[in-house]
């Protein structure tokens, strides 16, 4: 089947979906992106993704290319046209195509593109547990903005892949874990407390994180939002990641050392089940 993409108002075959080489997303990474999961042909936690898109665009003074409700409509139409049951919708908004110059161009319409990717999310091989590699966090000071400037994450995840790992955890100079290359990071202490770094400019405010923590709180699971070190993670009972593309995924080793028993933890598996149940029930 031909994949259909969306470019500035048009639904086109993927091969014909193109933007200018002068696009500021290409030249300066002057753009914002979002990735939302699709389950049973419906979008998961999409209101959270749209709210974050609006916030990220606001933080770089990029006007929304379309009202949020219209963006959601386009996403749903794209899912329909691609007959997507399970996978991801990728969306990118940039400051448009203009003569190359650093300051914002005047009167240039933003670029908006979207495409879908098929991906097994529930019966994913990663659900059995992934290996993580730690890397220094070399990123900028505004990691709360979902910017398309992802070179540090590309290098981090490539280093992880080269070491046979499926995700990188990025580490500050003080030894604390910020987050995964494309996910938020968690440990479960030997006392059964779920620990994850609080929201700040140091990390991306994950939509899956937000939903998962609310679900955990409703179930009286003990949560501590505080930084934790790589050393503490090595001694933890369990570890896991969350993201739109992995939901809740167990981490079974870090830098070759097993976490807990070296198999997915009990609370981790419970969190995965709770989140997938929520995703199925609330997707729209
Ligand atoms: N990444 N932290 C970073 C650095 C991320 O890139 C992501 C998501 C997350 C988790 O956010 P959410 O739960 O809203 O997906 C945290 C997406 C999936 C990506 O870049 O493909």
């Amino acid at each position: 089947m031909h994949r259909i993409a969306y470019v500035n108002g048009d639904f086109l075959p993927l091969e014909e979906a193109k933007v200018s080489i002068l696009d500021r997303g290409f030249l300066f990474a002057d753009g914002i992106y979002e990735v939302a999961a699709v389950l049973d042909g419906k979008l998961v936690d999409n209101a959270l993704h749209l709210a974050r898109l609006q916030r990220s665009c606001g933080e770089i003074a990029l006007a929304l290319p379309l009202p949020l409700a219209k963006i959601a409509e386009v996403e749903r139409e794209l899912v329909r046209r691609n007959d997507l049951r399970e996978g991801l919708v990728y969306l990118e908004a940039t400051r448009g195509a203009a003569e190359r110059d650093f300051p914002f161009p005047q009167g240039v319409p933003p670029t908006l593109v979207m495409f879908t990717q098929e991906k097994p999310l529930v019966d994913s091989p990663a659900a059995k547990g992934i290996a993580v590699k730690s890397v220094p966090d070399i990123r900028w000071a505004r990691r709360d903005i979902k910017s398309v400037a992802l070179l540090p994450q590309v290098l981090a995840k490539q280093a992880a892949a080269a070491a046979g790992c499926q995700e990188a955890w990025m580490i500050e100079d003080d030894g604390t874990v910020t987050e995964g290359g494309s996910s938020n990071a968690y440990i479960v202490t030997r006392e059964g407390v779920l620990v994850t770094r609080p929201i700040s400019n140091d990390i991306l405010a994950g939509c899956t994180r937000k939903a998962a923590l609310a679900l955990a709180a409703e179930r009286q699971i003990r949560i501590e939002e505080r930084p934790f070190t790589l050393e503490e993670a090595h001694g933890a009972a369990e570890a896991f990641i969350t993201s739109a593309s992995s939901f809740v995924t167990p981490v079974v080793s870090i830098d070759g050392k097993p976490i807990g028993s070296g198999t997915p933890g009990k609370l981790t598996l419970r969190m995965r089940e709770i989140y997938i149940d929520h995703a199925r029930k609330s997707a729209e």
Side-chain angles (χ1 to χ4, degrees):
M1 202 189 93
H2 281 298
R3 281 168 74 192
I4 305 294
Y6 172 90
V7 184
N8 296 326
D10 296 317
F11 292 93
L12 301 164
L14 189 61
E15 317 77 71
E16 291 166 34
K18 300 203 164 122
V19 295
S20 165
I21 62 164
L22 292 182
D23 194 276
R24 292 175 63 91
F26 179 66
L27 295 179
F28 298 116
D30 187 359
I32 299 296
Y33 79 109
E34 273 299 332
V35 177
V38 172
L39 255 194
D40 309 323
K42 293 183 281 187
L43 290 151
V44 176
D45 283 334
N46 202 40
L48 298 179
H49 288 283
L50 292 175
R52 187 173 62 191
L53 173 70
Q54 183 168 39
R55 179 185 182 276
S56 291
C57 287
E59 292 299 303
I60 68 161
L62 171 62
L64 275 179
L66 292 175
L68 291 183
K70 182 72 193 158
I71 291 176
E73 224 173 87
V74 174
E75 287 180 302
R76 278 195 278 271
E77 178 61 16
L78 197 62
V79 168
R80 196 188 66 74
R81 289 192 190 221
N82 285 282
D83 200 17
L84 182 69
R85 302 306 300 164
E86 195 164 322
L88 304 168
V89 176
Y90 176 90
L91 171 169
E92 179 170 335
T94 79
R95 215 178 302 275
E99 197 48 54
R100 185 177 184 276
D101 192 12
F102 286 77
F104 300 171
Q106 296 306 309
V108 170
T111 298
L112 178 62
V113 304
M114 298 185 208
F115 58 83
T116 59
Q117 290 179 303
E118 251 184 63
K119 184 177 157 82
L121 296 172
V122 174
D123 289 323
S124 129
K128 294 192 171 63
I130 60 164
V132 158
K133 176 176 167 57
S134 67
V135 298
D137 197 333
I138 60 168
R139 297 175 300 161
W140 71 329
R142 290 303 307 275
R143 302 160 187 165
D144 56 310
I145 299 171
K146 202 158 174 59
S147 145
V148 293
L150 291 172
L151 190 53
Q153 286 95 314
V154 167
L155 297 177
K157 289 181 76 100
Q158 174 55 31
C165 296
Q166 292 75 43
E167 179 58 301
W169 274 14
M170 297 181 283
I171 316 294
E172 297 276 43
D173 289 342
D174 66 2
T176 59
V177 176
T178 52
E179 58 188 329
S182 60
S183 58
N184 290 113
Y186 307 73
I187 55 170
V188 178
T189 67
R190 296 193 176 271
E191 292 72 41
V193 182
L194 194 163
V195 181
T196 194
R197 196 178 180 102
I199 294 305
S200 71
N201 290 353
D202 296 343
I203 63 168
L204 185 73
C207 298
T208 320
R209 178 190 184 283
K210 186 169 186 173
L213 288 185
L215 293 164
E218 280 166 22
R219 285 156 184 81
Q220 274 79 49
I221 291 168
R222 282 152 68 204
I223 300 165
E224 274 177 24
E225 291 187 66
R226 60 163 174 87
F228 62 88
T229 62
L230 183 58
E231 195 187 343
E232 189 179 1
H234 277 306
E238 306 181 21
F240 65 92
I241 58 167
T242 65
S243 70
S245 53
S246 70
F247 292 162
V248 175
T249 289
V251 171
V252 293
S253 73
I254 302 175
D255 296 331
K257 296 184 200 136
I259 302 302
S261 61
T263 57
K266 223 170 120 187
L267 182 58
T268 299
L269 290 177
R270 183 164 171 232
M271 287 298 301
R272 180 171 173 86
E273 197 182 305
I274 291 167
Y275 183 77
I276 290 175
D277 186 53
H278 148 85
R280 279 209 198 284
K281 285 188 178 140
S282 63
E284 53 188 357

